[in-house]
Amino acid sequence: MNNNKPKILTANEASMIVESSVIKRRKKDARLKTYGRIAIGLAVSFLIFLFVSIFSKGIPGFFQYYVTLDVYLDRDRLDPKGDLSPESLYNGDARSIVLESLYKVINPKGRKEKKAAKKIISTNADVRISKMVLDDPNILGKTIPITFAVDDDIDSFLRGYIKRETPSSERRINDTVIKFVDKLSAENKISYKFSDYILTGSASRSPEIAGIKGAFIGSLLTLAVCFIIAFPLGVATAVYLEEFAPKNRITEIIEVNINNLAAVPSVVFGILGLAIFIGVFGMPRSIPLLGGMVLALMTLPTIIISSRAAIRAVPPSIKDAAYGIGASKLQTIFHHVLPLAMPGMLTGTIIGMAQALGETAPLLMIGMVAFIVDIPGGVTDPGTVLPVQIFMWADFAERMFIQKTSSAIIVLLVFLIFMNAAAVILRKKLERRW
Amino acid sequence: MNEYSLLIILLLISTLWFYFGNKTALSLKKKQLKLNSLPHYYGIYVALYSFIPALFSYLLILVFDGILFSNLIIEFVPKEILNSPDFNKIIVLAQIDNAVRGIYFGEQPDWVTIASNQMIEWNYHSLILNFFCSISLALGIGYLGFKNINEEFRSRNSVEKIIISLLGLSSIIAILTTIGIVFSVIFESLRFFAIIPASEFLFGLIWNPQFEGAERAGSGQEGLATYGSVPLFVGTFLISLIALCVSVPIGLFSAVYLSEYANKKERSIFKPLLEILAGIPTVVYGFFAALTVAPLMRNGGSLIGLDVASESALAAGFVMGIMIIPFISSLSDDVINAVPQSLRDAGYGLGSTKNEVITNVIIPAALPGIIASIILAVSRAIGETMIVVMAAGLAANLSFNPLDAVTTVTAQIVTILVGDQEFESAKTLSAFALALTLIVITLILNFYALHVVKKYREQYE
Amino acid sequence: MVINSNINNVKTKTIGEIFSKDPKIICRHVDVFYGDKQAIKDVSIDISSREIISFIGPSGCGKSTFLRCLNRMNDTIDTCKVKGTILLDKDDIYDEKIDVVPLRAKIGMVFQKPNPFPKSIYENVAYGPRIHGLSSSKEELDFIVENSLKDSGLWQEVKDRLNSPGTGLSGGQQQRLCIARAIAVSPEIILMDEPCSALDPIATAKIEELINQLGKNYSIVIVTHSMQQAARISQRTAYFHLGELIEVGETKKIFTRPKDKQTEAYISGRIG
């Protein structure tokens, strides 16, 4: 024992000590609160930064530059066979007709200048004319103003990403091209408007005509397959495990298994798709059916877990009431438990679907990364999905693809927001409290 | 006439059986016979009785004729192609498949035409067979079910039995796929370890599967593929560590603030905002990391005289850290809220400041749950793929420097398996071995985390 | 601090003696709101030094709410608002300048359900002195812990296992541990919110004995739903009904000759 023997403090002494310590302790308290605020501030500013950086690039991606030309639609040259069939139009001379109308405005001299002039208009111009003629053959033989997308380099130049000051040798477009573009601008031939291609175009190596329609439909088809497989299977499994399965060691293991499966990295599901669906069952690659099946495996645990939780949340009193009037177990489940648990199940399913919609890695492995121009017409046509399209575009070097990628991301995010909003509304609307 | 129309025919047949079953039951009822179940149960019984076996035979033939034919069709491939070193069964099959669909790429060798014609013929036969089997099953077994109907028959019980077995069956399917995943990966990994010793895979320091098959002259490596996975795991570890350095402090402080300091309004604004971070697809983060964050870091690094690789572990790890903030904050928030109010009261009743209650009472009580949330975040970080593929690069450097380009297990799996590949090569199989280690690691982490959470819940229940 | 000279000039509907000679806490016209709902209506009462006063009344009458006003435990509830005056030694405890930390160190609290921290017995008792810096050495802390445990009558039972978890004790022991934890910071007043409601009769008897002992050194305000308990341990009793303080007075008088009809009805078991 010490010499100055400790003694019990009186209330007054104690309160003096406490008073003296308060300022310091309050400061500490304020510090922790500030740390918390900083942490939330950081997280939210990351979020804002992410959105600003994507939207600032993506919104302009929905627009692009066009050049308007008066084109004489020469019947004989456009439709050499004269039967207005797609093949005939395909063999026609649309490209040079477009170029000739361009030359009329900018008057290129010599081969070199003409070569430069060819770079201005998108390679897609002839397809555009063929399509117009197919839609309305009466325009043949007339001279009408038509707008064409400009080439992506010209677009980037007009946006100011390719700078006039840069030495010609380091620019993607040379001085002659710039001279022509200036001339077109001076004649008011250049316009900036909502892109015809971003929402309705399909995959293309030329960024000015690339669009997300194919990928969007691919995503829809894939999600549909995923839903058709995962939802019934997931709900049926949940019902069985929750209501019928004997509670023993095996069901316990199964439960742990399903929980663990929800944590397995998504690439692993891609491997499974590759090894089993392609390797063993010999399914073709790149089709939405396969993508949907792989995503269904991935979302199955999520659906099972949330459905079981929803079933468990139905109060036993309701079941007892049904049993009490002589309903069988199955009738009780189908008439009372499932309708009450449905909002919870659907919410879980939508959340799982939203995950599936944003998933990329497993789909890369089952070949949905292939370059597919055609818009898929069914689940067995090769196709791609939005996230994979984003991944592919992000890899391309052309400046314009950065904007197009951001635009595609915006579409994907909007799609996701709709799904999540649907989940929230569903939960709010159908939620019952007991 | 195709597979879909057959399915519709089967559905029509079972609808007809429903009609007959229902009608018979109704007529029995009219005769004042007391039926055991409601009439429509008799209809459903017969319909199910006819449809289910037919559907099984339909699916069986649909799935297995493809497997059978793809094995048989190899006979039609000329010997010299079969024996050539770059023979790839998948490409050959795709070639034939395209011909069957009428898609041609340039000149077609004769054997492809023959094989595809044979394939078309086989497919036709199999379709006829399928029609015959499924329809006769639907009619025949349906009839057997129909014969069962009499006033003694307990149709509701039978229908319920069938439905319960269907429910059980679907849960078996769901569970089999889980086992299927593990076994398919284990099986392929074993094949890999038969070629490359496990010790080399686990402890080798050089990862270079690129040389497989294609010897590169003058590269100094003698064209030998090496499968030492250590650089991949170091890369994974490095990036996850960076991600945790970002997400753990931000996530924890946010959780503490939201659950203890924030008022209701702040909570209702910031909690969903943080959760948005978890809902953004990873490919978007990857794009963000590669196009915005990485250049920022590179420029920032060069300002202070640091040489940051354009695809650095730092950029990928940082963005991954942002992504997993909500995993830590949400789960931690949950466990902090689960700390009983009475413990808080005890702390405040003694005159503690909030800070003291948090550090002395709440955090110690919630610690297991917080640890579990961090573990789950780690397993998420380890399994994350797209950010790494897009922003961290594919260079398998053995480096602990966050400014270097590194690669991860998941990124390598994707790189190896994207595109056409042969299943036999060690390069392809190595992806399965990587996946196996990935599964084992995440399962252990997840199992441990769930265990901790469960223990924690029990403590307060 | 402004001292209201008219502090004893109160208009109140309460019957009985709300004033005391040596008031430690003075409450005047206290209203408590939860959002729009008024839980306490115009309560005025004095609590004197070293007295044991019990609050009784049917459940939901606001007695616990009022108790929690006295050390501002209601601060933790966002929607709760307190109006009126509560003076502790003539300082308004709801004054902006008053910090709840030293206030709660002065006014300890024991809760309905025993709530020891999930720590050792020693750590439970040492927690308060430690955060408030009441001890400068290990010896002092040991001494405080030992004394508090002795005062709460737990020392003999736990002295050999001070490092085992506090949650491992029996319910009655846990509650005595909570009392020890409260007195370890040397408070002047201890608030007890139905401290025995979760305990069996034997444990209850022990706590009651302890409360009687503690009444010599502390003011004790105890909320209880057991009238027998109020009768056994308290010198004064206050009867609450629907948020109002109906009657206050010496326990004996309240239980033998209640002046108010409602009080009488409750005590004789007609309202419950």
Side-chain angles (χ1 to χ4, degrees), chain B residues 177-188:
Chain B
T177 52
T178 73
I179 299 168
I181 289 179
V182 176
F183 274 87
S184 75
V185 173
I186 289 178
F187 181 67
E188 302 287 332

Side-chain angles (χ1 to χ4, degrees), chain A residues 213-289:
Chain A
K213 189 175 177 189
F216 190 82
I217 293 190
S219 267
L220 284 182
L221 289 171
T222 310
L223 272 192
V225 172
C226 174
F227 178 81
I228 289 171
I229 296 173
F231 182 68
L233 207 55
V235 170
T237 306
V239 170
Y240 185 78
L241 290 180
E242 202 56 41
E243 301 284 350
F244 295 105
K247 301 274 173 281
N248 56 24
R249 191 100 192 111
I250 295 171
T251 29
E252 212 172 280
I253 291 171
I254 288 169
E255 188 162 351
V256 171
N257 225 323
I258 290 173
N259 282 333
N260 279 333
L261 206 61
V264 167
S266 60
V267 266
V268 173
F269 290 96
I271 287 193
L272 178 79
L274 191 66
I276 293 186
F277 295 141
I278 296 179
V280 178
F281 292 113
M283 284 178 71
R285 283 156 190 276
S286 313
I287 59 172
L289 179 65

Side-chain angles (χ1 to χ4, degrees), chain A residues 1-2 4-23 25-26, chain C residues 99-103 105-106 131-135 137 139-140 143-144 147-148 151 185-188:
Chain A
M1 266 283 168
N2 218 315
N4 34 357
K5 214 177 161 192
K7 61 179 173 54
I8 282 290
L9 297 166
T10 64
N12 267 336
E13 287 166 338
S15 88
M16 298 246 298
I17 295 175
V18 174
E19 287 283 355
S20 66
S21 73
V22 163
I23 296 180
R25 287 161 67 191
R26 281 292 172 201
Chain C
D99 193 312
V100 293
V101 166
L103 173 77
K106 262 189 231 171
I131 59 164
H132 293 304
L134 298 183
S135 61
S137 65
E139 284 84 37
E140 275 184 43
F143 182 73
I144 292 175
N147 246 298
S148 310
D151 285 353
V185 293
S186 303
E188 296 174 46

Side-chain angles (χ1 to χ4, degrees), chain C residues 67 110 179 190-195 211 214 220-223:
Chain C
L67 185 78
V110 176
I179 293 172
I190 303 173
L191 309 177
M192 298 189 176
D193 189 357
E194 303 194 17
I211 292 172
L214 294 171
I220 295 177
V221 186
I222 176 167
V223 165

Side-chain angles (χ1 to χ4, degrees), chain A residues 98-118:
Chain A
V98 174
L99 285 177
E100 278 159 25
S101 347
L102 177 68
Y103 295 159
K104 265 185 211 156
V105 184
I106 56 174
N107 295 317
K109 291 179 188 77
R111 280 177 63 87
K112 244 190 174 174
E113 288 208 348
K114 278 192 178 165
K115 205 180 147 200
K118 279 180 189 166

Side-chain angles (χ1 to χ4, degrees), chain A residues 357-370:
Chain A
L357 173 62
E359 200 52 68
T360 319
L363 300 181
L364 294 182
M365 280 183 277
I366 54 163
M368 296 201 86
V369 71

Side-chain angles (χ1 to χ4, degrees), chain C:
Chain C
M1 231 26 58
V2 185
I3 300 165
N4 192 343
S5 53
N6 297 330
I7 205 85
N8 285 348
N9 185 5
V10 196
K11 268 189 194 163
T12 168
K13 283 192 275 175
T14 308
I15 298 166
E17 194 49 50
I18 61 167
F19 307 116
S20 66
K21 273 180 224 152
D22 175 22
K24 189 79 196 163
I25 298 180
I26 301 171
C27 308
R28 291 295 174 263
H29 307 299
V30 176
D31 293 318
V32 180
F33 299 88
Y34 287 115
D36 298 332
K37 220 187 119 213
Q38 187 163 11
I40 293 288
K41 291 168 197 158
D42 194 28
V43 170
S44 299
I45 190 172
D46 286 356
I47 293 156
S48 53
S49 308
R50 295 191 171 78
E51 78 163 340
I52 303 176
I53 178 168
S54 49
F55 292 173
I56 59 169
S59 35
C61 68
K63 50 191 193 302
S64 287
T65 302
F66 185 66
L67 185 78
R68 292 169 73 97
C69 290
L70 300 180
N71 69 343
R72 289 179 57 180
M73 276 307 278
N74 284 338
D75 285 14
T76 50
I77 301 161
D78 279 342
T79 53
C80 181
K81 266 198 194 113
V82 179
K83 284 183 185 166
T85 324
I86 300 177
L87 304 180
L88 169 68
D89 292 330
K90 303 190 173 140
D91 293 339
D92 185 350
I93 65 166
Y94 279 92
D95 192 282
E96 277 178 14
K97 287 174 208 150
I98 292 287
D99 193 312
V100 293
V101 166
L103 173 77
R104 287 181 189 152
K106 262 189 231 171
I107 308 180
M109 188 156 191
V110 176
F111 298 86
Q112 191 167 359
K113 238 178 86 190
N115 54 357
F117 297 129
K119 303 178 186 216
S120 71
I121 295 168
Y122 181 91
E123 285 300 320
N124 260 289
V125 184
Y127 174 77
R130 211 175 251 159
I131 59 164
H132 293 304
L134 298 183
S135 61
S136 47
S137 65
K138 179 87 173 84
E139 284 84 37
E140 275 184 43
L141 192 61
D142 287 349
F143 182 73
I144 292 175
V145 171
E146 184 180 334
N147 246 298
S148 310
L149 285 171
K150 276 180 180 161
D151 285 353
S152 65
L154 202 58
W155 177 250
Q156 287 305 322
E157 293 161 54
V158 301
K159 64 178 178 191
D160 301 324
R161 45 173 178 148
L162 287 176
N163 288 322
S164 55
T167 44
L169 296 172
S170 75
Q173 287 174 322
Q174 285 191 12
Q175 196 61 299
R176 279 184 281 152
L177 178 64
C178 293
I179 293 172
R181 186 175 65 190
I183 57 182
V185 293
S186 303
E188 296 174 46
I189 301 154
I190 303 173
L191 309 177
M192 298 189 176
D193 189 357
E194 303 194 17
C196 304
S197 66
L199 304 180
D200 62 68
I202 295 169
T204 304
K206 273 193 181 163
I207 301 266
E208 285 180 8
E209 194 191 318
L210 172 60
I211 292 172
N212 268 324
Q213 286 290 319
L214 294 171
K216 290 169 190 157
N217 298 315
Y218 307 92
S219 303
I220 295 177
V221 186
I222 176 167
V223 165
T224 174
H225 59 247
S226 152
M227 282 170 286
Q228 291 85 341
Q229 187 172 59
R232 280 195 297 267
I233 58 177
S234 60
Q235 286 119 36
R236 281 210 299 159
T237 297
Y239 172 66
F240 284 79
H241 188 75
L242 293 176
E244 285 176 272
L245 178 56
I246 306 295
E247 186 169 353
V248 200
E250 274 183 46
T251 303
K252 266 186 211 159
K253 283 186 189 166
I254 292 270
F255 279 98
T256 51
R257 293 187 301 277
K259 288 174 189 162
D260 187 88
K261 284 229 171 97
Q262 287 177 338
T263 319
E264 197 188 342
Y266 179 70
I267 286 169
S268 56
R270 268 177 277 147
I271 318 176

Side-chain angles (χ1 to χ4, degrees), chain A residues 116-129:
Chain A
K118 279 180 189 166
K119 284 188 179 166
I120 293 177
I121 293 179
S122 162
T123 46
N124 186 251
D126 43 348
V127 178
R128 192 167 183 124
I129 288 193

